[in-house]
Amino acid sequence: MKTIPCLVIGSGPAGYTAAIYTQRAGIDTIICEGPQPGGQLTTTTIIENFPGFAQGIDATTLMDSMKQQAIHLGAQVLPLSVTSVDFSSHPYQITLEDKSQLVAQTVIIATGASAKYLGLADEVKYQGMGVSACATCDGFFYRKKTVAVVGGGDTACEEASYLASLASKVYLIVRKPFMRASAVMQKRVTDNPKIEILYETNTVGLFGDNGVEGVTLVHKKGTPEEHQYQLPIDGFFLAIGHRPNSEIFQKWIDTDDMGYIITQGKTPLTNMPGIFAAGDVADPLYRQAVIAAASGAAAGIEAGKFLATLK
């Protein structure tokens, strides 16, 4: 079986950028796109905070441009997912969903992190049409509008506070009669006149003709006081956490309690030589496309350095 110099697992901004850097360094690279070509970014519409596009750019167009740039430089793209890995010895063995196997001298893990959803069919129906899991990405489109944020932790409070700087009204939907957020974050939202907290409230549906126009809520579900009502909103934001896509690597690669891959200092190096992590799979804090792309560049550079040591 032929050994390839570099395998990139994942196809978001981190994965494509990593491949661009390795190919420019003369390192033959294969990209396994995974189940969502282009990554989670493609679930949104217009990107207005990626440098270089004064009028913004369609998310799918941006990711396809990155992909084509990697291909133009010589990268091979496989429309397949990685199902298992064996990092017990170098070079490393990777199994794909079609049962084929690859052997790689370096591996760049760029599998991202998936936002947690409530599991409502309407979340899928209105994806990119009023439903978002990233206030920083999409909040700009809801200036002077009414939005709702679901969640009761620090992330939800941060999202609600950020959206309150743009929107005219923010509802914070909290399932329990209390928030899990830290005291300082709770105070930030309770002190904000634009934010209204809806405790003991569950989301059961969304409605609208050409996008989200409102949310159906149940107050005190399962109690004698249960009450269902509809609330007009323009945008619906999920803030109930993210799940890093690192499960198949955890036997070999160090992760934190949430599953995010632990890297060494400010580098993309993992605990395994020749294996690097880039993008949201190793970033529990920012989760931004431009930061993911930058970490992909760093991973590509480090892969080149590692390969040089083998020679």
Side-chain angles (χ1 to χ4, degrees), residues 4 13 23 41 113 131 140 144 149 163 179 181 193 211 243 261 280 294:
I4 60 174
Q23 282 294 155
L41 198 66
V131 171
F140 181 81
K144 302 188 184 304
V149 177
L163 288 166
M179 283 190 281
R243 183 186 67 258
I261 293 177
D280 289 7

Side-chain angles (χ1 to χ4, degrees), residues 262-276:
I262 297 171
T263 56
Q264 299 176 21
K266 295 182 179 181
T267 76
L269 278 68
T270 70
N271 60 295
M272 297 292 292
I275 300 178
F276 311 93

Side-chain angles (χ1 to χ4, degrees), residues 7 15 36 40 49 68 74 135 166 189 192 222 253 261 272 309:
L7 174 68
Q36 190 172 43
Q40 187 176 311
N49 57 1
Q68 294 307 319
L166 301 167
V189 296
N192 195 316
I253 302 297
I261 293 177
M272 297 292 292
T309 67

